Amino acid sequence: MSPNLQLLENDYWQVGILSETGASIAFGRIKHGDQWVDFMRPTSEGDYGNASLCASFLLIPYSNRIKAGRFSFGGADYQLAPNTPEGNAQHGVVRKVPWQVTSADQTHIRLSYHSGDFSDVNFPFAFSAEATYRLDGANFIMEIRITSDDTRPFPAGFGHHPYFVRTITEHPVQVEIPCDQQYELVEKMAVSAAVPIKPQIDFRHLRPIEPENTGRDIDDVLTGRQNGSPIRFVYGNVELAMTCDPIFQQIVFFAPSGKPFYAVEPVTNTNDGFNLYDKGIPGTGVFVLQPGESQNGNITLRVIQS
């Protein structure tokens, strides 16, 4: 087993955590009969150092994209170094650096990050973060916390980027995502307040993802969450549910054509949320941290039947 990997395990879950790779998740397996099967997209051991190829990685201190890496807040303009071919800043700053393990046992691990420990953080404000992963019976619980270490208020957000397999035991997945709205995207950027969800991306009732070979990617930001209803993943007689704290206002749904995986990402802020927030557009999910203030949220994956 790689020294970068910490294994969590109980009767329902087997989860690998990569402390040296941004506290990312290497795999998330569930017990099916007497076998472990992958629910989250597994990472090959040779890719344990690459968060983008992991089963899930953390999005802190913002999720998804900032257009051209530029945003304004409080009357000041900020420029981040772009990290995508399109010239945008994407996925925050914590996923490619080591995190410190602060406590761990067979069913839980807590890790911490401090931006002050690094000299090249691509974000103009000081912050710290904590990630906790915990198994509790059929529940796999993920908690994210961000704390301002700065003397100035600043905009922030966070989320997880989990990938899941399209097929378990030869059964393709059906998905239910109880969101009533979506953002209209231009070059993957939200440009205005959310609108009612359109039929092609309406997963409020259980339905299959389109076949892998359609040539059309799903890449949308859903919102207007029905907070009392879980997201459901059904593979024949295998079913799991995802519940998220209300702070996770948005769900990024990504299902690339021709790939054996898809992503359902609970995030607090929409794509380019900092710039929409600065324009006064409501519902972006961006929150402002005052000096010393924290925000946190939990995501739970629960095995219903396996």
Side-chain angles (χ1 to χ4, degrees):
M1 188 169 68
S2 167
N4 185 15
L5 182 74
Q6 282 82 25
L7 180 66
L8 309 182
E9 186 172 341
N10 68 2
D11 291 339
Y12 295 86
W13 286 95
Q14 192 180 71
V15 177
I17 305 299
L18 299 168
S19 59
E20 295 294 309
T21 311
S24 298
I25 300 173
F27 51 80
R29 303 169 182 145
I30 61 170
K31 201 58 145 328
H32 181 64
D34 58 357
Q35 300 291 322
W36 290 109
V37 296
D38 287 300
F39 168 50
M40 304 183 80
R41 181 189 73 177
T43 314
S44 65
E45 189 167 344
D47 292 324
Y48 277 3
N50 186 343
S52 296
L53 298 179
C54 287
S56 188
F57 53 84
L58 289 160
L59 309 168
I60 307 173
Y62 61 89
S63 73
N64 212 277
R65 295 164 176 81
I66 297 175
K67 186 175 182 179
R70 294 192 294 268
F71 70 94
S72 300
F73 176 74
D77 298 326
Y78 299 93
Q79 176 68 62
L80 308 183
N83 60 0
T84 73
E86 301 81 14
N88 303 313
Q90 180 175 263
H91 293 340
V93 302
V94 304
R95 64 193 173 108
K96 296 183 179 181
V97 297
W99 285 48
Q100 298 297 313
V101 177
T102 56
S103 63
D105 59 30
Q106 184 176 348
T107 58
H108 107 283
I109 186 169
R110 179 174 290 123
L111 308 99
S112 64
Y113 164 94
H114 301 273
S115 66
D117 293 341
F118 303 92
S119 60
D120 57 350
V121 179
N122 190 27
F123 194 67
F125 303 98
F127 70 95
S128 55
E130 187 174 79
T132 303
Y133 300 102
R134 178 165 53 92
L135 305 182
D136 182 6
N139 296 320
F140 171 30
I141 303 163
M142 299 164 272
E143 180 178 358
I144 306 172
R145 178 180 296 273
I146 183 173
T147 301
S148 169
D149 297 331
D150 212 289
T151 58
R152 305 159 292 170
F154 63 87
F158 55 67
H160 250 291
H161 196 309
Y163 291 98
F164 305 107
V165 298
R166 281 188 182 243
T167 302
I168 293 178
T169 62
E170 300 182 353
H171 293 282
V173 69
Q174 295 189 77
V175 178
E176 181 178 315
I177 305 176
C179 289
D180 296 326
Q181 297 176 300
Q182 68 178 100
Y183 288 92
E184 304 223 81
L185 305 181
V186 175
E187 297 180 343
K188 301 183 180 181
M189 302 291 177
V191 294
S192 60
V195 299
I197 199 159
K198 297 177 181 178
Q200 61 266 33
I201 197 62
D202 185 352
F203 280 78
R204 288 177 292 184
H205 300 286
L206 197 67
R207 58 179 272 201
I209 299 175
E210 290 186 18
E212 298 172 31
N213 60 354
T214 60
R216 188 184 77 84
D217 292 348
I218 294 174
D219 194 355
D220 289 277
V221 185
L222 311 183
T223 189
R225 282 183 50 217
Q226 302 166 9
N227 287 326
S229 301
I231 296 168
R232 297 172 63 210
F233 310 91
V234 178
Y235 303 80
N237 63 350
V238 174
E239 180 174 350
L240 297 98
M242 175 192 284
T243 55
C244 313
D245 285 347
I247 193 169
F248 296 100
Q249 294 185 28
Q250 333 290 352
I251 301 294
V252 177
F253 188 20
F254 175 52
S257 177
K259 302 294 184 180
F261 58 81
Y262 63 99
V264 177
E265 309 162 35
V267 299
T268 61
N269 63 273
T270 189
N271 300 14
D272 205 29
F274 285 5
N275 285 309
L276 269 63
Y277 178 89
D278 187 63
K279 295 174 182 176
I281 293 173
T284 63
V286 173
F287 52 83
V288 175
L289 287 177
Q290 301 297 326
E293 185 180 12
S294 298
Q295 285 280 10
N296 69 287
N298 282 15
I299 302 160
T300 299
L301 290 170
R302 179 175 178 81
V303 178
I304 305 298
Q305 57 184 13
S306 62

